[in-house]
Amino acid sequence: MAKAMAALQRHGDAIPNRDLVGIADFAIASGTPRFHLVDMASGRTTTLLVSHGKGSDPSHSGMLQRFSNIEGSEASSSGAYRTGDIYVGKHGRSRRLVGLDPTNCNALGRAIVVHGAWYVSPDIVRQHGKLGRSQGCLAVSTAELEQVLTRLGTGRMIYADKV
């Protein structure tokens, strides 16, 4: 939480809506809920499953091994993101992400977004002990996608790192 709050302060006006913050804690295995939606007023937190990129976990161990900001890496990137608009793409309804740090500044060009995925669910964890992997996106359960898209809205921060 301290790293995320420092990022929120560091990015100032780039994050206009500060009532809710998303934190993806990639120090935790993918089979454990690790995407925290934190209500800044009440402190209440909703914690969900979230995938990491194939390039971040080449052996598919379920643990993120490395971050990358490079096009074609299929890896997750660390740092602060500002949530953008919703669009409909190859994964259905998705929310664009704008990387605000040197470690994720290529997110928009890499099409790193929040989207739903069949490979993110408690059933997948029960069957395989871990989630499937994205191409660097923050993929959540299709059953929880609308909640995530709505609650995050536009102009909020998601912080992703090994916290």
Side-chain angles (χ1 to χ4, degrees):
M1 189 70 171
K3 285 184 177 182
M5 293 305 96
L8 190 61
Q9 294 306 321
R10 185 172 63 250
H11 291 294
D13 293 339
I15 310 291
N17 298 316
R18 295 165 170 256
D19 57 330
L20 186 116
V21 170
I23 302 171
D25 184 357
F26 287 129
I28 300 170
S30 70
T32 303
R34 58 186 181 169
F35 187 38
H36 312 284
L37 301 179
V38 182
D39 181 307
M40 299 303 286
S42 70
R44 288 186 18 207
T45 302
T46 303
T47 303
L48 310 166
L49 292 167
V50 66
S51 70
H52 55 256
K54 294 175 186 179
S56 290
D57 179 11
S59 64
H60 200 191
S61 67
M63 291 297 297
L64 185 139
Q65 303 298 314
R66 67 179 187 91
F67 291 107
S68 178
N69 192 30
I70 298 170
E71 179 74 35
S73 68
E74 295 190 326
S76 298
S77 297
S78 63
Y81 297 86
R82 182 182 63 243
T83 56
D85 61 323
I86 289 178
Y87 72 100
V88 178
K90 70 179 183 177
H91 298 291
R93 285 173 48 84
S94 305
R95 186 171 294 284
R96 294 185 207 286
L97 296 176
V98 177
L100 300 175
D101 290 317
T103 55
N104 67 358
C105 61
N106 295 326
L108 203 56
R110 291 179 60 207
I112 302 300
V113 303
V114 175
H115 67 78
W118 65 269
Y119 53 81
V120 179
S121 75
D123 286 342
I124 294 293
V125 174
R126 277 191 290 279
Q127 292 171 19
H128 303 283
K130 60 191 169 201
L131 298 178
R133 299 164 298 164
S134 69
Q135 294 177 308
C137 294
L138 297 170
V140 298
S141 165
T142 54
E144 295 169 333
L145 177 64
E146 283 307 312
Q147 171 194 187
V148 173
L149 294 180
T150 301
R151 289 189 66 199
L152 281 172
T154 302
R156 289 185 175 82
M157 186 184 80
I158 295 175
Y159 185 75
D161 204 347
K162 288 188 170 188
V163 293

